[in-house]
Amino acid sequence: MMAVEKGGRRESVRRVSGWSASIVFMAMEVKIMLDLAEMLSLRDSLHKPQKDEGGLDIRELSPQDEEDSMQNTPNDTSVAVPAGPPLEGKDMDQYEGAHSPEEGHDPTLPTYKEAVGDDIPPPEKSLQPDGDKKIEYDPESGEPRETWGKKMDFLLSIIGYAVDLANVWRFPYLCYKNGGGAFLAPYFSVLLLGAMPVFLMEMCMGQFNRQGPITVWKISPMFKGIGFASCFMAYIVAFYYNIIIGWSFFYLFSSFTWTLPWTTCNNDWNSPDCWEVEWSNNETHNNRSYNDNTSVSSTMEFFERGVLNLHKSSGIDDLGPVRWQLALCTLLTFTLLYFCLWKGVKSTGKVVWVTATMPYIIMAILLVRGSLLPGAKEGITYFITPNLSRLGDPQVWIDAAVQIFFSVGAGFGTHIAYSSYNKFNNNCYRDCLITVAVNSFTSLFSGFVIFSYLGYMSLRTQKDISEVATEGPGLVFIVYPEAIATLTGSTGWAIIFFFMLLTLGVDSAFGGLESPLTGLRDELRHLIKYKYFRELLTLGVVGSAFMFALPCLTEGGMYVFTMLDRFAAGTSIVFTVLCQVIAVSWFYGMKQFCDDIEAMTGSRPNLYWRICWKFISPALLLIIVISSFASYTPLEYMTATGRYVYPEYANVIGWMIALSSMCMIPGYAIYKLAITKGTLKERFALCISPESEHEQIRQKKQVKRFQREHWLSV
């Protein structure tokens, strides 16, 4: 990049060739994803399970499977069970004596589990007379397990969870900060080699085992702590993430007025340094002149003083009373979440038809309006113009990796929970590709929307875009409201904008809480028989999360919010995903995991997926974990009046929060080894092997994971 001096300010002159390089790279990435989707579709058609005249899958049993089947079947009953996907109810009836869990049966005949074994999930049944409500059976308890009412319910839910507020307030800022269009090169590289494979892994784990993020670790019991850590982090994130939705409600209710309250300086919360949105910086108003060092925009004062009352707190050790207005808005948020979650995927699947689709309609409207504003072209150009020299900075690649891994939502257990309600033969390849494509499109699309208005604000305030652009809550609660306030019909634009924030946040919020709910439900499955168990469990989780959120609603709550945002799911979530990938790819085994996927989809994962799972994704995650520790800086928060530096004990508390979830993984592994009976070698063998192999290990002393082939298979 060349730079010249002009008018005392540095102006970047970027080569036109950068445009070509960026466009070519984007085209290559899109082509790769399209080819991958086409290849997977072709593999599905070539590897569909063959069927005999009776409609049954024809698959050969291994000698060991035949031996185990003979051992588990009474002498007077002959039951032949094919490997692979579960059989439909009408097909299963052809196997005499093999009954599903809910049916009464002759005690002389084998049950379904005795005939089939633990590795093959029970058959799908239709409840009558409500034939459109599909129920599958929990492979652990034999209890009915609900499935999504429609295929699109799951797809919209998983998209709605992945696409959240970070797509609007973080990606555009990172893109402009790290080289504009050139940032797409590391972004899509990490997406294809790291985030997308991890995303597919989680979906396959939940769908094959039909278990939540905790009990799914029957595949390698020693790593069950990963499930506890995932659910715990998702629960902690609910403490502060839903506060943002509460702020959105506050702004939405405040928008129903002819004059938006953040546009004036005559409110009781304003200070003498307040400067109204409509005032020119070169004029004097009410005996006030604009001062770059002391003047504060009315939008910032509304957020910090009118909404948060932050000026009444001196720091995290002076939180003050709870703001009752924010408490009511946040209570409304948690109440809404409860009624979205209390009936499980039945209620969630209906809500997402609005919450997952509405943001795109509103963003399209905002983009059309923003593109007509003066300065919009310059803002969008600033957003996408590539600065290829930035690609040599390692921090750019780290920012891209962190953003995309957080964006897809890996590690919180939500993908596992949602997928556990899928039908066994669902095409998880297709769902994975669609979700990551929509997620990336949303990030780019929102960047155009945001920077069209930032360009307008830059022109209007006579400031460089770098001085206007920001990330986090400041972008959507300070900068964007200020831009909206200057438009004709500002009240209407404010209403639809904050309604968009609500829809973006809500489906991600109840997606996050679905992880601990499903995890606890499966862990406490012996209580499912009690009436209103799901409703009471949901009330306990949601209600307690609201109570723990109250410190963020005090006058100094922003300091608590910032600390939780920094530590609750930062390094800890990446560390958890790293452990998860290693546990599945290396300990559970690549061959076994690919066998599971082939049983579901009829096609085996190709070399691309296997290499990423076993080598590339763990390497990328390890780099991110190391860099997050190396780049740690003490907590700070920038207010309108200056920079607040957190006391040392606040940083210690933050790291304690982060370590509380990370320590669950090695802590549970030690606990599991301690309570397992046998010699140390036998304990280790049982703890790293699937529960379905434990009996074989005890009787025959054969441990697959002690064989070289297990660790070398790709």
Side-chain angles (χ1 to χ4, degrees):
M1 182 185 74
M2 298 181 298
V4 296
E5 294 293 328
K6 185 176 180 179
R9 302 177 62 178
R10 298 180 61 85
E11 178 181 77
S12 298
V13 181
R14 300 177 177 176
R15 296 186 179 92
V16 178
S17 60
W19 280 90
S20 302
S22 181
I23 293 173
V24 169
F25 183 84
M26 290 177 61
M28 290 174 61
E29 298 285 0
V30 173
K31 182 67 166 57
I32 291 174
M33 295 188 70
L34 292 176
D35 290 344
L36 182 60
E38 182 180 355
M39 178 176 60
L40 293 175
S41 177
L42 178 61
R43 287 176 62 87
D44 288 344
S45 63
L46 292 176
H47 292 81
K48 288 292 184 183
Q50 299 177 353
K51 296 187 178 181
D52 63 7
E53 294 179 356
L56 299 177
D57 294 347
I58 302 176
R59 296 170 184 259
E60 294 184 358
L61 289 175
S62 65
Q64 182 62 47
D65 292 334
E66 293 177 355
E67 180 182 346
D68 293 342
S69 178
M70 291 300 293
Q71 290 176 355
N72 294 330
T73 306
N75 295 332
D76 59 340
T77 306
S78 177
V79 180
V81 182
L87 304 174
E88 297 295 335
K90 63 181 181 180
D91 294 332
M92 195 62 205
D93 292 341
Q94 299 181 29
Y95 290 91
E96 182 181 359
H99 294 266
S100 55
E102 83 286 359
E103 295 177 351
H105 63 279
D106 190 328
T108 63
L109 299 178
T111 63
Y112 178 84
K113 280 192 176 182
E114 291 171 340
V116 178
D118 293 332
D119 293 338
I120 302 178
E124 178 183 307
K125 292 284 186 178
S126 295
L127 295 181
Q128 297 296 336
D130 188 11
D132 61 339
K133 182 182 177 182
K134 297 296 183 181
I135 301 290
E136 297 193 2
Y137 292 90
D138 191 313
E140 290 291 321
S141 63
E143 296 290 336
R145 189 173 186 86
E146 186 181 5
T147 60
W148 297 94
K150 298 178 181 178
K151 169 62 187 173
M152 283 300 295
D153 290 355
F154 166 72
L155 194 57
L156 288 176
S157 296
I158 209 76
I159 289 175
Y161 173 70
V163 177
D164 66 352
L165 294 168
N167 293 76
V168 174
W169 75 27
R170 181 160 175 79
F171 174 84
Y173 173 81
L174 286 178
C175 193
Y176 117 83
K177 169 188 169 186
N178 291 306
F183 182 70
L184 300 180
Y187 178 85
F188 280 107
S189 297
V190 177
L191 171 65
L192 293 175
L193 298 176
M196 189 167 70
V198 172
F199 182 42
L200 178 62
M201 173 182 283
E202 292 192 346
M203 292 179 65
C204 293
M205 289 172 63
Q207 183 172 309
F208 180 83
N209 296 283
R210 292 200 187 99
Q211 295 289 302
I214 298 177
T215 52
V216 74
W217 288 102
K218 64 181 182 179
I219 64 176
S220 190
M222 188 172 72
F223 294 99
K224 192 175 182 179
I226 295 174
F228 286 113
S230 296
C231 293
F232 184 63
M233 282 185 290
Y235 180 62
I236 293 180
V237 167
F239 300 169
Y240 67 92
Y241 186 85
N242 294 305
I243 299 296
I244 303 172
I245 305 176
W247 294 343
S248 300
F249 268 121
F250 190 99
Y251 269 82
L252 179 64
F253 297 149
S254 300
S255 299
F256 287 93
T257 178
W258 291 111
T259 302
L260 296 175
W262 55 84
T263 61
T264 62
C265 288
N266 55 0
N267 306 287
D268 55 4
W269 63 75
N270 290 127
S271 71
D273 295 323
C274 178
W275 193 260
E276 291 189 7
V277 173
E278 296 291 344
W279 291 350
S280 171
N281 294 351
N282 299 321
E283 299 176 0
T284 300
H285 298 274
N286 297 336
N287 295 323
R288 302 179 190 175
S289 298
Y290 185 80
N291 187 308
D292 286 331
N293 297 322
T294 60
S295 295
V296 181
S297 70
S298 55
T299 53
M300 178 172 286
E301 288 208 345
F302 177 77
F303 179 62
E304 289 194 353
R305 302 169 70 95
V307 178
L308 304 180
N309 258 18
L310 191 60
H311 62 291
K312 295 183 178 181
S313 171
S314 60
I316 196 170
D317 50 358
D318 179 29
L319 296 180
V322 172
R323 291 272 292 154
W324 67 266
Q325 299 93 331
L326 292 181
L328 289 179
C329 290
T330 306
L331 178 62
L332 176 61
T333 300
F334 279 95
T335 303
L336 178 63
L337 293 179
Y338 174 77
F339 287 107
C340 290
L341 291 165
W342 71 322
K343 293 296 183 182
V345 295
K346 289 190 300 183
S347 52
T348 302
K350 293 179 176 62
V351 175
V352 292
W353 283 85
V354 175
T355 58
T357 57
M358 186 61 66
Y360 296 97
I361 299 174
I362 297 178
M363 278 196 289
I365 296 172
L366 292 173
L367 178 60
V368 171
R369 181 65 184 94
S371 62
L372 299 176
L373 295 173
K377 179 181 178 182
E378 289 74 14
I380 294 175
T381 301
Y382 198 89
F383 170 58
I384 64 175
T385 301
N387 179 7
L388 299 179
S389 64
R390 293 284 291 147
L391 296 180
D393 185 354
Q395 187 60 43
V396 173
W397 292 82
I398 293 174
D399 284 347
V402 171
Q403 169 61 21
I404 190 57
F405 272 107
F406 278 103
S407 184
V408 299
F412 289 103
T414 301
H415 302 322
I416 297 176
Y418 274 165
S419 299
S420 70
Y421 299 109
N422 272 339
K423 296 180 181 178
F424 186 78
N425 298 105
N426 176 64
N427 189 342
C428 43
Y429 288 114
R430 177 190 58 202
D431 294 341
C432 174
L433 292 174
I434 291 175
T435 303
V436 297
V438 172
N439 183 48
S440 298
F441 165 77
T442 306
S443 297
L444 292 170
F445 186 46
S446 62
F448 282 93
V449 176
I450 294 297
F451 271 84
S452 64
Y453 287 88
L454 290 182
Y456 163 67
M457 288 301 297
S458 173
L459 179 65
R460 190 175 181 280
T461 60
Q462 297 299 307
K463 294 181 179 179
D464 189 78
I465 291 184
S466 60
E467 300 178 46
V468 178
T470 185
E471 63 174 330
L475 178 62
V476 295
F477 292 113
I478 298 175
V479 178
Y480 215 89
E482 183 172 344
I484 289 176
T486 63
L487 304 179
T488 303
S490 57
T491 296
W493 292 113
I495 291 173
I496 66 171
F497 174 73
F498 290 112
F499 183 72
M500 180 193 74
L501 291 186
L502 288 175
T503 55
L504 275 174
V506 165
D507 47 9
S508 296
F510 59 66
L513 283 173
E514 186 61 53
S515 172
L517 283 173
T518 299
L520 291 174
R521 173 194 175 278
D522 292 342
E523 190 72 7
L524 305 174
R525 54 184 174 272
H526 58 282
L527 300 177
I528 297 177
K529 60 184 178 181
Y530 294 104
K531 192 175 183 181
Y532 303 123
F533 170 72
R534 169 77 191 202
E535 290 83 350
L536 293 175
L537 177 64
T538 305
L539 180 62
V541 171
V542 174
S544 60
F546 170 71
M547 297 301 295
F548 284 117
L550 289 178
C552 295
L553 301 174
T554 58
E555 292 175 345
M558 191 63 180
Y559 300 117
V560 181
F561 174 93
T562 303
M563 182 176 67
L564 289 175
D565 186 42
R566 174 79 173 273
F567 289 103
T571 304
S572 54
I573 190 66
V574 183
F575 175 76
T576 301
V577 177
L578 172 63
C579 294
Q580 173 182 287
V581 174
I582 293 175
V584 175
S585 301
W586 290 87
F587 286 87
Y588 183 56
M590 187 55 59
K591 181 180 182 301
Q592 182 65 60
F593 187 56
C594 292
D595 288 343
D596 296 346
I597 298 176
E598 185 176 11
M600 291 189 297
T601 64
S603 63
R604 198 170 187 81
N606 58 34
L607 189 61
Y608 157 73
W609 297 107
R610 303 197 303 270
I611 292 294
C612 288
W613 283 330
K614 193 150 189 174
F615 301 109
I616 300 178
S617 295
L620 287 173
L621 289 163
L622 181 61
I623 292 172
I624 297 174
V625 170
I626 295 174
S627 66
S628 65
F629 280 107
S631 61
Y632 165 74
T633 55
L635 274 172
E636 293 181 349
Y637 179 73
M638 180 61 72
T639 68
T641 56
R643 185 183 305 273
Y644 171 74
V645 179
Y646 282 72
E648 190 63 31
Y649 75 83
N651 291 272
V652 174
I653 294 175
W655 277 112
M656 290 175 62
I657 294 173
L659 292 173
S660 64
S661 54
M662 287 191 282
C663 288
M664 288 182 178
I665 301 174
Y668 186 86
I670 297 172
Y671 164 78
K672 188 65 176 178
L673 285 169
I675 65 172
T676 303
K677 297 180 180 179
T679 65
L680 182 60
K681 182 178 180 181
E682 290 172 343
R683 294 181 184 188
F684 187 70
L686 292 170
C687 288
I688 65 173
S689 301
E691 292 180 359
S692 59
E693 299 178 8
H694 284 191
E695 192 63 29
Q696 180 182 5
I697 294 174
R698 290 190 178 99
Q699 293 181 357
K700 302 180 180 180
K701 307 299 181 181
Q702 295 179 357
V703 184
K704 295 180 181 178
R705 280 144 193 86
F706 284 177
Q707 299 173 3
R708 179 182 300 178
E709 292 77 10
H710 171 83
W711 300 96
L712 297 181
S713 62
V714 177

